[in-house]
Amino acid sequence: MLNKIIETKKEEVAQLVLPPKESVKPVSFFNALQNTKNEVALIAEVKKASPSKGIIKGNFDPIQIAKEYESGGADAISVLTDSRYFQGKREYIPAIKKAVSLPILRKDFIIDENQVLESKLIGADAILLIAEVLEASKLYEFYQFATELGLDCLVEIHSSEALEGILSIFTPKIIGVNNRNLKTFEVTLEQTETITSYIPEESLFISESGIFTHDDILRVKKAGAKAVLVGESLMRAETPAQGILTLFGAGAAQ
């Protein structure tokens, strides 16, 4: 599936037309995750569908969802912009950015420098760089370019081997462990527990995917995660705000 997504992404990049720059105020994604009132910082995801689950949220209003995330105590918002496999749109980012004050992570499969520039132009505060998709040296190039543009980067890994390759070149400010194997789409929180010992102390450690309950929050926190990225459980909740309350129990920000 990952190979299929990347082949599609190459076709899209070949036809990419850069948009005009949105007039929105940048907000530090990194700082927001450090200043949480929750047990761990929450990046709440605006996500309509996925290749493995199909449609996750039928009645999908991205702006309303983002507003509820903000009022519910989220620290940042992740927005899927891949259209073919996740039914996202890049237009969601400036629209959400104008409706909430939280920083926005653009979640997509970035394989080209123009996508990094595009992310800045549409108003994203941070981008996702995936080690399963990019060679470590190319990932570092994109990381440097994004930093020059004022974007934070969530560097996502799924294995200790990929992380070691990256750390041989540089130490990312933010490292995310994806509990979902992008090749098989199997999910286990053991990924976070296994890889935690490889994460540098100076990096902000995020656990991504497979987080549905308060026990899951406690489990990844115990493993050392300072933040979580959660989509599906919040999308399937009665309301996004209620989903956050359920996720954090009594520890949720009010």
Side-chain angles (χ1 to χ4, degrees):
M1 177 54 74
L2 181 61
N3 291 338
K4 189 176 177 183
I5 290 171
I6 297 308
E7 286 308 308
T8 301
K9 199 59 58 177
K10 287 176 182 176
E11 295 170 12
E12 292 175 3
V13 166
Q15 301 171 35
L16 177 63
V17 177
L18 291 172
K21 190 176 190 307
E22 292 285 343
S23 56
V24 291
K25 182 182 177 183
V27 182
S28 172
F29 179 74
F30 179 75
N31 289 347
L33 299 184
Q34 290 190 305
N35 298 325
T36 184
K37 296 176 183 176
N38 294 315
E39 291 166 280
V40 293
L42 173 64
I43 307 161
E45 191 153 86
V46 176
K47 181 178 187 178
K48 182 177 182 179
S50 77
S52 58
K53 299 292 180 70
I55 298 293
I56 294 170
K57 182 80 170 175
N59 183 19
F60 185 75
D61 182 339
I63 295 173
Q64 185 57 37
I65 291 166
K67 286 180 176 179
E68 287 212 36
Y69 280 159
E70 183 171 46
S71 65
D75 299 288
I77 295 173
S78 168
V79 180
L80 266 300
T81 58
D82 175 83
S83 58
R84 177 80 65 89
Y85 299 98
F86 292 87
Q87 297 195 27
K89 294 181 181 179
R90 75 180 185 185
E91 290 79 12
Y92 289 160
I93 288 183
I96 290 171
K97 184 77 179 169
K98 290 167 185 174
V100 302
S101 60
L102 298 179
I104 306 296
L105 167 72
R106 183 197 185 175
K107 192 139 180 248
D108 209 318
F109 297 84
I110 289 180
I111 59 168
D112 188 272
E113 196 171 78
N114 272 337
Q115 290 172 284
V116 181
L117 179 55
E118 176 193 39
S119 301
K120 179 64 176 179
L121 293 173
I122 61 178
D125 299 296
I127 58 171
L128 182 71
L129 296 176
I130 306 173
E132 295 280 324
V133 170
L134 298 165
E135 293 284 340
S137 57
K138 181 60 71 174
L139 189 149
Y140 182 45
E141 283 180 29
F142 291 171
Y143 185 98
Q144 288 181 300
F145 182 49
T147 301
E148 289 169 9
L149 293 174
L151 294 167
D152 282 322
C153 297
L154 167 49
V155 174
E156 177 182 292
I157 53 99
H158 181 71
S159 69
S160 57
E161 292 80 12
L163 178 58
E164 286 174 341
I166 289 166
L167 294 178
S168 70
I169 300 174
F170 77 113
T171 301
K173 280 173 63 178
I174 309 170
I175 296 174
V177 172
N178 194 342
N179 298 308
R180 174 178 286 109
N181 185 319
L182 291 179
K183 293 175 181 174
T184 65
F185 277 78
E186 292 175 358
V187 181
T188 173
L189 297 185
E190 287 180 14
Q191 281 302 111
T192 289
E193 294 167 331
T194 300
I195 298 174
T196 183
S197 61
Y198 296 88
I199 306 285
E201 280 188 21
E202 61 266 38
S203 299
L204 196 154
F205 174 22
I206 300 173
S207 182
E208 310 170 42
S209 303
I211 297 164
F212 291 89
T213 66
H214 190 221
D215 283 345
D216 293 339
I217 293 284
L218 295 176
R219 183 175 171 183
V220 298
K221 181 183 179 184
K222 184 179 179 182
K226 296 294 189 289
V228 293
L229 190 152
V230 184
E232 186 179 342
S233 67
L234 300 180
M235 289 288 87
R236 294 190 188 279
E238 189 173 336
T239 67
Q242 184 58 50
I244 293 174
L245 282 172
T246 301
L247 197 60
F248 283 97
Q254 302 295 323

